[in-house]
Coordinates of all heavy atoms in Angstrom, one line a residue:
K127 N 42.3 74.6 125.1 CA 41.7 75.6 125.9 C 40.7 75.0 126.9 O 40.0 74.1 126.5 CB 41.0 76.6 125.0 CG 40.7 77.9 125.7 CD 40.4 79.0 124.7 CE 39.9 80.2 125.4 NZ 40.5 81.4 125.3
V128 N 40.7 75.5 128.1 CA 39.8 74.9 129.2 C 38.4 75.2 128.8 O 38.0 76.4 128.6 CB 40.2 75.5 130.5 CG1 39.2 75.0 131.6 CG2 41.6 75.2 131.0
P129 N 37.5 74.2 128.7 CA 36.1 74.5 128.4 C 35.4 75.0 129.6 O 35.3 74.4 130.6 CB 35.6 73.1 128.0 CG 36.4 72.1 128.8 CD 37.8 72.8 128.9
T130 N 34.8 76.2 129.4 CA 34.0 76.8 130.6 C 32.6 76.9 130.2 O 31.7 76.9 131.1 CB 34.6 78.2 131.0 OG1 34.6 79.0 129.8 CG2 36.0 78.0 131.5
G131 N 32.2 77.0 129.0 CA 30.8 77.1 128.6 C 30.0 75.9 129.0 O 28.9 76.1 129.5
A132 N 30.4 74.7 128.7 CA 29.7 73.5 129.0 C 30.1 72.9 130.4 O 29.7 71.8 130.7 CB 30.0 72.5 127.9
L133 N 30.7 73.7 131.2 CA 31.2 73.2 132.5 C 30.2 73.6 133.6 O 30.0 74.8 133.8 CB 32.6 73.9 132.8 CG 33.3 73.5 134.0 CD1 33.7 72.0 134.0 CD2 34.5 74.4 134.3
H134 N 29.6 72.6 134.2 CA 28.7 72.8 135.3 C 29.2 72.1 136.6 O 29.1 70.9 136.7 CB 27.3 72.3 135.0 CG 26.3 72.6 136.0 ND1 25.9 73.8 136.4 CD2 25.6 71.7 136.8 CE1 25.1 73.8 137.4 NE2 24.8 72.5 137.7
I135 N 29.8 72.9 137.5 CA 30.4 72.4 138.7 C 29.2 72.3 139.7 O 28.7 73.3 140.1 CB 31.5 73.2 139.3 CG1 32.6 73.3 138.2 CG2 32.0 72.7 140.6 CD1 33.8 74.2 138.6
E136 N 28.9 71.1 140.1 CA 27.7 70.9 141.0 C 28.1 70.8 142.4 O 27.2 70.9 143.3 CB 27.0 69.6 140.5 CG 26.5 69.8 139.1 CD 25.9 68.5 138.5 OE1 24.9 68.0 139.1 OE2 26.5 67.9 137.6
G137 N 29.4 70.5 142.7 CA 29.8 70.4 144.1 C 31.2 69.9 144.3 O 31.8 69.4 143.4
V138 N 31.6 70.0 145.5 CA 33.0 69.6 145.9 C 32.9 68.8 147.2 O 32.2 69.2 148.1 CB 34.0 70.8 146.1 CG1 35.2 70.3 146.7 CG2 34.2 71.4 144.7
I139 N 33.6 67.7 147.3 CA 33.8 67.0 148.5 C 35.3 67.2 148.8 O 36.1 66.6 148.2 CB 33.5 65.5 148.4 CG1 32.0 65.3 148.0 CG2 33.8 64.7 149.7 CD1 31.6 63.9 147.7
Y140 N 35.5 68.1 149.8 CA 36.9 68.5 150.1 C 37.4 67.7 151.3 O 36.8 67.8 152.4 CB 37.0 70.0 150.3 CG 38.4 70.4 150.7 CD1 39.4 70.5 149.7 CD2 38.7 70.9 152.0 CE1 40.6 70.9 150.1 CE2 39.9 71.3 152.3 CZ 40.9 71.3 151.3 OH 42.2 71.7 151.6
D141 N 38.4 67.0 151.2 CA 39.0 66.2 152.3 C 40.6 66.3 152.1 O 41.1 65.5 151.3 CB 38.6 64.8 152.3 CG 39.1 64.0 153.5 OD1 39.9 64.5 154.2 OD2 38.6 62.9 153.7
P142 N 41.2 67.2 152.8 CA 42.7 67.3 152.6 C 43.5 66.1 153.0 O 44.6 65.9 152.6 CB 43.0 68.5 153.5 CG 41.9 68.7 154.4 CD 40.7 68.1 153.8
S143 N 42.9 65.2 153.8 CA 43.6 64.0 154.3 C 43.4 62.8 153.3 O 44.0 61.8 153.5 CB 43.2 63.6 155.7 OG 41.9 63.3 155.7
A144 N 42.5 63.0 152.4 CA 42.3 61.9 151.4 C 42.0 62.5 150.0 O 42.4 63.6 149.8 CB 41.0 61.1 151.9
D145 N 41.4 61.8 149.1 CA 41.1 62.3 147.8 C 39.9 63.1 147.8 O 38.8 62.7 148.1 CB 40.9 61.1 146.8 CG 42.2 60.4 146.4 OD1 43.3 61.1 146.5 OD2 42.2 59.2 146.1
S146 N 40.1 64.4 147.5 CA 38.9 65.3 147.3 C 38.3 65.0 146.0 O 39.0 64.5 145.0 CB 39.4 66.8 147.4 OG 39.9 67.1 148.6
L147 N 37.0 65.3 145.8 CA 36.3 65.0 144.6 C 35.6 66.3 144.2 O 35.1 67.1 145.0 CB 35.3 63.9 144.8 CG 35.8 62.6 145.2 CD1 34.6 61.6 145.6 CD2 36.6 62.0 144.0
V148 N 35.4 66.4 142.8 CA 34.6 67.5 142.3 C 33.5 66.9 141.4 O 33.8 65.9 140.7 CB 35.4 68.6 141.5 CG1 36.2 68.0 140.4 CG2 34.6 69.7 141.1
L149 N 32.3 67.4 141.5 CA 31.2 66.9 140.7 C 31.0 67.8 139.5 O 30.6 69.0 139.7 CB 29.9 66.7 141.5 CG 28.7 66.2 140.8 CD1 28.9 64.8 140.3 CD2 27.5 66.2 141.8
I150 N 31.3 67.4 138.3 CA 31.2 68.2 137.1 C 30.3 67.5 136.1 O 30.6 66.3 135.8 CB 32.6 68.4 136.5 CG1 33.6 69.1 137.4 CG2 32.5 69.2 135.2 CD1 35.0 69.2 136.9
N151 N 29.3 68.2 135.7 CA 28.3 67.7 134.7 C 27.9 66.3 135.1 O 27.7 65.4 134.2 CB 29.0 67.7 133.3 CG 29.3 69.1 132.8 OD1 28.9 70.1 133.3 ND2 30.2 69.1 131.8
G152 N 27.6 66.1 136.4 CA 27.0 64.8 136.8 C 28.0 63.7 137.1 O 27.6 62.6 137.4
E153 N 29.3 63.9 136.9 CA 30.3 62.9 137.1 C 31.3 63.4 138.2 O 31.7 64.5 138.2 CB 31.1 62.6 135.8 CG 30.2 62.1 134.7 CD 29.8 60.6 134.9 OE1 30.6 59.9 135.5 OE2 28.7 60.3 134.4
F154 N 31.8 62.4 139.0 CA 32.8 62.8 140.0 C 34.2 62.6 139.4 O 34.4 61.6 138.7 CB 32.7 61.9 141.3 CG 31.6 62.3 142.2 CD1 30.4 61.6 142.2 CD2 31.8 63.4 143.0 CE1 29.4 62.0 143.1 CE2 30.8 63.8 143.9 CZ 29.6 63.1 143.9
Y155 N 35.1 63.5 139.8 CA 36.5 63.4 139.3 C 37.4 63.8 140.5 O 37.0 64.5 141.4 CB 36.8 64.5 138.2 CG 36.0 64.2 137.0 CD1 34.8 64.9 136.8 CD2 36.4 63.4 136.0 CE1 34.0 64.7 135.7 CE2 35.7 63.2 134.8 CZ 34.5 63.9 134.7 OH 33.7 63.7 133.6
K156 N 38.6 63.2 140.6 CA 39.6 63.5 141.6 C 40.8 64.1 140.9 O 40.9 64.1 139.6 CB 40.0 62.3 142.4 CG 40.6 61.2 141.7 CD 40.8 60.0 142.6 CE 41.4 58.8 141.8 NZ 41.7 57.7 142.6
E157 N 41.7 64.7 141.7 CA 42.9 65.3 141.1 C 43.6 64.3 140.2 O 43.8 63.2 140.5 CB 43.8 65.8 142.2 CG 43.2 67.0 143.0 CD 44.1 67.5 144.1 OE1 45.2 66.9 144.3 OE2 43.7 68.4 144.8
G158 N 44.1 64.8 139.0 CA 44.8 64.0 138.1 C 43.9 63.4 137.0 O 44.4 62.9 136.0
E159 N 42.6 63.3 137.2 CA 41.7 62.7 136.2 C 41.4 63.8 135.2 O 41.5 65.0 135.4 CB 40.5 62.2 136.9 CG 40.7 61.0 137.8 CD 39.5 60.3 138.3 OE1 38.5 61.0 138.6 OE2 39.6 59.1 138.5
T160 N 40.9 63.2 134.0 CA 40.7 64.1 132.8 C 39.2 63.9 132.4 O 38.7 62.9 132.4 CB 41.6 63.7 131.7 OG1 43.0 63.8 132.2 CG2 41.5 64.5 130.5
F161 N 38.7 65.1 131.9 CA 37.4 65.1 131.2 C 37.5 66.1 130.1 O 38.2 67.1 130.2 CB 36.3 65.4 132.2 CG 36.2 66.9 132.6 CD1 35.4 67.8 131.9 CD2 37.1 67.4 133.5 CE1 35.4 69.1 132.2 CE2 37.1 68.7 133.9 CZ 36.2 69.6 133.2
Q162 N 36.9 65.8 128.9 CA 36.9 66.7 127.8 C 38.3 67.3 127.5 O 38.5 68.5 127.3 CB 35.9 67.8 128.0 CG 34.5 67.4 128.1 CD 33.5 68.5 128.4 OE1 33.9 69.7 128.4 NE2 32.3 68.2 128.6
N163 N 39.3 66.4 127.5 CA 40.7 66.8 127.3 C 41.2 67.9 128.3 O 42.1 68.7 128.0 CB 40.9 67.4 125.9 CG 40.6 66.3 124.9 OD1 41.0 65.1 125.0 ND2 40.0 66.7 123.8
T164 N 40.6 67.9 129.5 CA 40.9 68.8 130.6 C 41.3 68.0 131.8 O 40.5 67.1 132.2 CB 39.8 69.8 130.9 OG1 39.4 70.5 129.7 CG2 40.1 70.8 131.9
T165 N 42.4 68.4 132.5 CA 42.9 67.7 133.7 C 42.5 68.5 134.9 O 42.6 69.7 134.9 CB 44.4 67.5 133.6 OG1 44.7 66.8 132.4 CG2 44.9 66.7 134.8
I166 N 42.0 67.8 135.9 CA 41.8 68.4 137.2 C 43.1 68.4 137.9 O 43.7 67.4 138.3 CB 40.8 67.5 138.1 CG1 39.6 67.1 137.4 CG2 40.5 68.2 139.4 CD1 38.6 68.2 137.0
V167 N 43.7 69.6 138.1 CA 45.0 69.8 138.7 C 44.9 69.8 140.2 O 45.6 69.1 140.9 CB 45.6 71.1 138.2 CG1 47.0 71.4 138.9 CG2 45.8 71.1 136.7
S168 N 44.0 70.6 140.8 CA 43.8 70.7 142.2 C 42.4 71.0 142.6 O 41.7 71.6 141.8 CB 44.7 71.9 142.8 OG 46.0 71.7 142.5
I169 N 42.0 70.5 143.7 CA 40.6 70.7 144.3 C 40.8 71.3 145.6 O 41.4 70.7 146.5 CB 39.9 69.3 144.3 CG1 39.8 68.7 143.0 CG2 38.5 69.6 144.9 CD1 39.2 67.3 143.0
F170 N 40.1 72.4 145.8 CA 40.0 73.1 147.1 C 38.6 73.2 147.5 O 37.7 73.0 146.6 CB 40.7 74.5 147.0 CG 42.1 74.4 146.6 CD1 42.5 74.6 145.3 CD2 43.1 74.2 147.6 CE1 43.8 74.5 144.9 CE2 44.5 74.2 147.2 CZ 44.8 74.3 145.9
K171 N 38.3 73.6 148.7 CA 36.9 73.8 149.0 C 36.2 74.9 148.3 O 35.0 74.9 148.2 CB 36.6 73.8 150.5 CG 37.4 74.8 151.3 CD 37.1 74.7 152.8 CE 37.9 75.7 153.5 NZ 37.7 75.6 155.0
D172 N 36.9 75.9 147.9 CA 36.3 77.1 147.2 C 36.7 77.3 145.8 O 36.2 78.2 145.1 CB 36.7 78.4 148.0 CG 38.2 78.6 148.0 OD1 38.9 77.7 147.7 OD2 38.6 79.7 148.5
R173 N 37.5 76.4 145.2 CA 37.9 76.5 143.8 C 38.5 75.2 143.3 O 39.0 74.4 144.1 CB 38.9 77.6 143.6 CG 40.2 77.4 144.3 CD 41.1 78.7 144.4 NE 42.3 78.5 145.1 CZ 42.5 78.3 146.4 NH1 41.5 78.3 147.2 NH2 43.7 78.2 146.9
I174 N 38.6 75.1 142.0 CA 39.3 74.0 141.4 C 40.2 74.6 140.3 O 40.0 75.7 139.8 CB 38.4 72.9 140.8 CG1 37.5 73.5 139.7 CG2 37.6 72.2 141.8 CD1 36.8 72.4 138.9
I175 N 41.3 73.9 140.1 CA 42.3 74.4 139.0 C 42.3 73.3 138.0 O 42.5 72.1 138.2 CB 43.7 74.6 139.6 CG1 43.6 75.7 140.7 CG2 44.7 75.0 138.5 CD1 44.9 75.9 141.4
L176 N 42.0 73.8 136.7 CA 42.0 72.9 135.6 C 43.1 73.2 134.6 O 43.6 74.4 134.5 CB 40.6 73.1 134.8 CG 39.4 73.0 135.7 CD1 38.1 73.4 134.9 CD2 39.2 71.5 136.2
R177 N 43.5 72.2 133.8 CA 44.5 72.4 132.8 C 44.1 71.8 131.5 O 43.7 70.6 131.5 CB 45.9 71.9 133.2 CG 46.9 72.2 132.1 CD 48.3 71.6 132.4 NE 48.7 71.9 133.7 CZ 49.2 71.0 134.6 NH1 49.3 69.7 134.3 NH2 49.6 71.3 135.8
A178 N 44.2 72.5 130.4 CA 44.0 72.0 129.1 C 45.1 72.5 128.2 O 45.4 73.7 128.1 CB 42.6 72.4 128.5
E179 N 45.8 71.6 127.6 CA 47.1 71.9 126.8 C 48.0 72.7 127.8 O 48.4 72.2 128.8 CB 46.7 72.6 125.6 CG 45.8 71.8 124.6 CD 45.3 72.6 123.4 OE1 45.8 73.7 123.2 OE2 44.4 72.1 122.8
E180 N 48.3 73.9 127.4 CA 49.3 74.7 128.3 C 48.6 75.7 129.1 O 49.2 76.4 129.9 CB 50.3 75.4 127.4 CG 51.2 74.4 126.6 CD 52.0 73.5 127.5 OE1 52.5 73.9 128.5 OE2 52.0 72.3 127.2
E181 N 47.2 75.7 129.1 CA 46.5 76.8 129.8 C 46.0 76.2 131.2 O 45.4 75.1 131.2 CB 45.3 77.2 129.0 CG 44.5 78.2 129.7 CD 43.1 78.5 129.0 OE1 42.8 77.8 128.1 OE2 42.5 79.5 129.4
E182 N 46.2 76.9 132.2 CA 45.6 76.6 133.5 C 44.5 77.6 133.9 O 44.7 78.8 133.6 CB 46.6 76.6 134.7 CG 47.3 75.3 134.7 CD 48.1 75.0 136.1 OE1 47.9 75.9 137.0 OE2 48.8 74.0 136.1
K183 N 43.4 77.2 134.4 CA 42.4 78.1 134.8 C 41.8 77.7 136.2 O 41.6 76.6 136.5 CB 41.2 78.0 133.8 CG 40.1 78.9 134.1 CD 39.1 79.0 132.9 CE 38.0 79.9 133.1 NZ 38.3 81.3 132.9
T184 N 41.6 78.8 137.0 CA 41.0 78.6 138.3 C 39.5 78.9 138.2 O 39.1 79.9 137.7 CB 41.6 79.6 139.4 OG1 43.0 79.3 139.5 CG2 41.0 79.4 140.7
V185 N 38.7 77.9 138.7 CA 37.3 78.1 138.7 C 36.8 78.2 140.1 O 37.0 77.3 140.9 CB 36.6 76.9 137.9 CG1 35.1 77.1 137.9 CG2 37.1 76.8 136.5
W186 N 36.3 79.3 140.5 CA 35.8 79.6 141.8 C 34.4 79.0 142.0 O 33.6 79.1 141.1 CB 35.8 81.1 142.2 CG 37.2 81.6 142.2 CD1 38.0 82.1 141.1 CD2 38.1 81.6 143.3 NE1 39.2 82.4 141.6 CE2 39.4 82.1 142.9 CE3 38.0 81.2 144.6 CZ2 40.4 82.3 143.7 CZ3 39.1 81.4 145.5 CH2 40.3 81.9 145.0
I187 N 34.2 78.5 143.2 CA 32.9 77.8 143.5 C 32.2 78.7 144.5 O 32.7 79.1 145.6 CB 33.1 76.4 144.1 CG1 33.9 75.6 143.1 CG2 31.8 75.8 144.5 CD1 34.5 74.4 143.7
Q188 N 31.0 79.1 144.2 CA 30.2 79.9 145.2 C 29.5 79.0 146.1 O 28.9 78.0 145.8 CB 29.1 80.7 144.4 CG 29.8 81.7 143.5 CD 28.8 82.5 142.7 OE1 27.6 82.1 142.6 NE2 29.2 83.7 142.3
E189 N 29.5 79.4 147.4 CA 28.8 78.6 148.4 C 27.4 79.1 148.6 O 27.1 80.3 148.5 CB 29.5 78.7 149.8 CG 30.9 78.0 149.8 CD 31.5 78.0 151.2 OE1 30.7 78.0 152.1 OE2 32.7 78.0 151.3
E190 N 26.4 78.2 148.7 CA 25.1 78.5 149.0 C 24.7 77.9 150.3 O 25.0 76.8 150.6 CB 24.1 78.0 147.9 CG 24.4 78.6 146.5 CD 23.5 78.1 145.5 OE1 22.4 77.5 145.8 OE2 23.8 78.3 144.3
F191 N 24.0 78.7 151.1 CA 23.6 78.2 152.4 C 22.1 78.0 152.5 O 21.4 78.8 152.0 CB 24.1 79.2 153.5 CG 25.5 79.4 153.6 CD1 26.1 80.5 153.1 CD2 26.3 78.4 154.1 CE1 27.5 80.7 153.1 CE2 27.7 78.5 154.2 CZ 28.3 79.7 153.7
S192 N 21.7 77.0 153.2 CA 20.3 76.8 153.4 C 19.7 77.6 154.5 O 18.5 77.9 154.5 CB 20.0 75.3 153.7 OG 20.7 74.9 154.8
K193 N 20.6 78.0 155.4 CA 20.1 78.9 156.5 C 20.7 80.3 156.3 O 21.9 80.5 156.1 CB 20.7 78.3 157.9 CG 20.2 77.0 158.2 CD 20.8 76.5 159.5 CE 20.5 75.1 159.8 NZ 21.2 74.6 161.0
E194 N 19.8 81.3 156.4 CA 20.3 82.6 156.3 C 21.1 83.0 157.5 O 20.9 82.5 158.6 CB 19.1 83.6 156.2 CG 18.4 83.6 154.9 CD 17.4 84.7 154.8 OE1 17.6 85.7 155.4 OE2 16.4 84.5 154.1
G195 N 22.2 83.8 157.3 CA 23.0 84.2 158.4 C 24.1 83.2 158.7 O 25.0 83.6 159.6
E196 N 24.2 82.1 158.1 CA 25.3 81.2 158.4 C 26.6 81.7 157.8 O 26.6 82.2 156.7 CB 25.0 79.8 157.8 CG 26.0 78.7 158.2 CD 25.6 77.3 157.8 OE1 24.4 77.1 157.5 OE2 26.5 76.5 157.8
K197 N 27.6 81.6 158.5 CA 28.9 82.2 158.1 C 29.8 81.2 157.5 O 29.8 80.1 157.9 CB 29.6 82.9 159.2 CG 28.8 84.1 159.8 CD 29.6 84.8 160.8 CE 28.7 86.0 161.3 NZ 29.4 86.8 162.2
T198 N 30.6 81.7 156.5 CA 31.6 80.8 155.9 C 32.8 80.6 156.9 O 32.9 81.4 157.9 CB 32.2 81.4 154.6 OG1 32.9 82.6 154.9 CG2 31.1 81.7 153.6
D199 N 33.7 79.7 156.7 CA 34.8 79.5 157.5 C 35.7 80.7 157.6 O 36.3 81.1 158.6 CB 35.7 78.3 157.1 CG 35.0 76.9 157.4 OD1 34.0 76.9 158.2 OD2 35.3 76.0 156.7
D200 N 35.9 81.4 156.4 CA 36.7 82.6 156.3 C 36.1 83.7 157.2 O 36.8 84.4 157.9 CB 36.8 83.1 154.9 CG 37.7 82.2 154.1 OD1 38.5 81.5 154.7 OD2 37.6 82.3 152.8
E201 N 34.7 83.8 157.2 CA 34.1 84.9 158.0 C 34.2 84.5 159.5 O 34.4 85.4 160.3 CB 32.6 85.0 157.6 CG 32.4 85.6 156.2 CD 30.9 85.5 155.8 OE1 30.3 84.5 156.1 OE2 30.5 86.4 155.0
K202 N 34.1 83.3 159.8 CA 34.3 82.9 161.2 C 35.7 83.1 161.7 O 35.9 83.6 162.8 CB 34.0 81.4 161.4 CG 32.5 81.0 161.2 CD 32.3 79.5 161.3 CE 30.9 79.2 161.0 NZ 30.7 77.7 160.9
F203 N 36.7 82.9 160.8 CA 38.1 83.1 161.2 C 38.3 84.6 161.4 O 39.0 85.0 162.3 CB 39.0 82.6 160.1 CG 40.5 82.9 160.3 CD1 41.2 82.2 161.3 CD2 41.1 83.9 159.6 CE1 42.5 82.5 161.5 CE2 42.4 84.2 159.9 CZ 43.2 83.5 160.8
E204 N 37.8 85.4 160.4 CA 37.9 86.9 160.5 C 37.3 87.4 161.8 O 37.9 88.2 162.5 CB 37.2 87.5 159.3 CG 37.5 89.0 159.2 CD 36.9 89.6 158.0 OE1 37.0 89.0 156.9 OE2 36.2 90.6 158.1
A205 N 36.1 86.9 162.2 CA 35.5 87.4 163.4 C 36.3 87.0 164.6 O 36.5 87.8 165.6 CB 34.1 86.8 163.5
K206 N 36.8 85.8 164.6 CA 37.7 85.3 165.7 C 38.9 86.1 165.9 O 39.4 86.5 167.0 CB 38.0 83.8 165.5 CG 38.8 83.2 166.6 CD 39.1 81.8 166.4 CE 40.0 81.2 167.4 NZ 40.4 79.8 167.2
T207 N 39.6 86.4 164.7 CA 40.8 87.3 164.7 C 40.5 88.6 165.3 O 41.3 89.2 166.1 CB 41.3 87.4 163.3 OG1 41.6 86.0 162.8 CG2 42.6 88.1 163.2
K208 N 39.4 89.2 164.9 CA 39.0 90.5 165.4 C 38.8 90.5 166.9 O 39.3 91.4 167.6 CB 37.7 91.1 164.8 CG 37.9 91.5 163.4 CD 36.6 92.0 162.8 CE 36.8 92.4 161.3 NZ 35.5 92.8 160.7
R209 N 38.2 89.4 167.4 CA 38.0 89.3 168.9 C 39.3 89.2 169.6 O 39.5 89.8 170.7 CB 37.1 88.1 169.2 CG 35.6 88.3 168.9 CD 34.8 87.2 169.5 NE 35.2 85.9 169.2 CZ 34.7 85.2 168.2 NH1 33.8 85.7 167.4 NH2 35.1 83.9 167.9
Q210 N 40.2 88.4 169.0 CA 41.5 88.3 169.6 C 42.3 89.6 169.7 O 42.9 89.9 170.7 CB 42.3 87.2 168.9 CG 41.9 85.8 169.1 CD 42.6 84.8 168.2 OE1 43.2 85.2 167.3 NE2 42.5 83.5 168.6
R211 N 42.2 90.4 168.6 CA 42.9 91.7 168.6 C 42.3 92.6 169.7 O 43.1 93.4 170.3 CB 42.7 92.3 167.2 CG 43.7 91.8 166.2 CD 43.8 92.7 165.0 NE 43.6 91.8 163.9 CZ 42.7 92.0 162.9 NH1 42.0 93.0 162.8 NH2 42.6 91.1 161.9
H212 N 41.0 92.6 169.9 CA 40.4 93.5 170.9 C 40.7 93.0 172.3 O 40.7 93.9 173.2 CB 38.9 93.5 170.7 CG 38.5 94.2 169.4 ND1 38.7 95.6 169.2 CD2 37.8 93.8 168.3 CE1 38.3 95.9 168.0 NE2 37.7 94.9 167.5
S213 N 41.0 91.8 172.5 CA 41.3 91.3 173.9 C 42.7 91.5 174.3 O 43.1 91.3 175.4 CB 40.9 89.8 174.0 OG 41.7 89.0 173.2
E214 N 43.6 91.9 173.3 CA 45.0 92.0 173.6 C 45.3 93.4 174.2 O 44.6 94.3 174.1 CB 45.8 91.9 172.3 CG 45.8 90.5 171.8 CD 46.6 90.3 170.5 OE1 47.0 91.3 169.9 OE2 46.7 89.2 170.0

């Protein structure tokens, strides 16, 4: 079973053109590496996928911003899409 109680995801370094990294409990891991009998299957900028035995679990990462009002990439895309629809 995927351990979630003792799992502290501290951050992600997402680079689709190279090896992305996830910082878990003070240690960096890349896709395919294992910790506590759990394998890092995939790393995305907003989630990681873990596997232990036959179970896969998606762990979502919450973004925190130092500046109020800063928008996520999804919010920026949504705003741009709305502007494009209005200009058509």
Side-chain angles (χ1 to χ4, degrees):
K127 198 160 172 128
V128 174
T130 54
L133 183 68
H134 182 63
I135 300 173
E136 299 171 64
V138 167
I139 299 173
Y140 179 71
D141 185 352
S143 64
D145 286 332
S146 296
L147 297 170
V148 60
L149 182 61
I150 301 174
N151 299 342
E153 298 287 330
F154 280 103
Y155 299 94
K156 61 184 177 180
E157 291 179 1
E159 292 187 328
T160 302
F161 74 98
Q162 298 176 5
N163 298 320
T164 302
T165 302
I166 309 293
V167 177
S168 299
I169 301 171
F170 302 94
K171 54 184 177 177
D172 61 349
R173 66 194 180 283
I174 61 171
I175 300 174
L176 306 173
R177 181 183 313 128
E179 299 172 14
E180 298 300 316
E181 178 191 12
E182 275 196 7
K183 181 169 181 81
T184 300
V185 180
W186 292 89
I187 301 163
Q188 295 180 339
E189 291 187 28
E190 295 182 16
F191 298 105
S192 57
K193 298 177 187 174
E194 285 188 32
E196 187 172 341
K197 296 185 179 189
T198 65
D199 288 341
D200 288 340
E201 289 170 328
K202 290 175 187 174
F203 176 77
E204 186 177 315
K206 181 179 177 183
T207 304
K208 284 180 184 176
R209 283 194 307 270
Q210 287 175 342
R211 277 192 234 132
H212 290 299
S213 66
E214 291 177 353

